[in-house]
Amino acid sequence: MSNPTVILNGDQVYCDELIRENARLTIQHEADRLTLEQMRKQCVSSEECTAKVAEAYARADKAKRDAEALNSKLRQAVADLHFVMAGGDACKVCAVKCAFGEGNCKPVWRGEDGADL
């Protein structure tokens, strides 16, 4: 039995060849569709990741501002400590403001035994 042929525009084309080409194109079309679907999923995932990164940057920026504020307070505390240790008047840096000269200033030293809190 001979291979069936089809004549298109004067060219002789074998049906087996057409079937193979159609199968190849069908497989390629499905592969392209799957690739496109995967790329769409990656795009959505990328957008979600971008949102998460932006949120992380915002949290890091807030943490940086908080750390700068705490460092400022720490620098001030160290400066006050150096001032008092150098013989400066502790009443100038005392957090409990009392009228000078009354003599009722009672600093509470945390961490010592017997300190009344």
Side-chain angles (χ1 to χ4, degrees), residues 16-42:
D16 292 345
E17 216 175 294
L18 290 174
I19 292 170
R20 281 192 296 276
E21 182 69 14
N22 185 28
R24 186 188 69 73
L25 290 173
T26 302
I27 291 169
Q28 183 63 46
H29 178 71
E30 182 65 16
D32 290 345
R33 188 187 68 76
L34 291 174
T35 302
L36 204 61
E37 183 179 325
Q38 183 181 12
M39 291 171 84
R40 282 189 186 121
K41 287 179 182 176
Q42 286 176 346

Side-chain angles (χ1 to χ4, degrees), residues 8 14 32 43 59 64 77 86 88 93 98-99 104-105:
L8 299 171
Y14 291 96
D32 290 345
C43 183
R59 282 194 313 254
K64 182 180 177 184
V93 293
C98 61
N104 61 357
C105 186

Side-chain angles (χ1 to χ4, degrees), residues 15 17 20-21 23 27 35 40 47 49 55 67-68 70 79 82 91 99 107-108 110-112 115:
C15 286
E17 216 175 294
R20 281 192 296 276
E21 182 69 14
I27 291 169
T35 302
R40 282 189 186 121
E47 290 170 356
C49 288
E55 183 182 330
E68 287 171 353
L70 290 174
H82 286 172
C91 287
V108 178
R110 289 187 167 90
E112 287 187 10

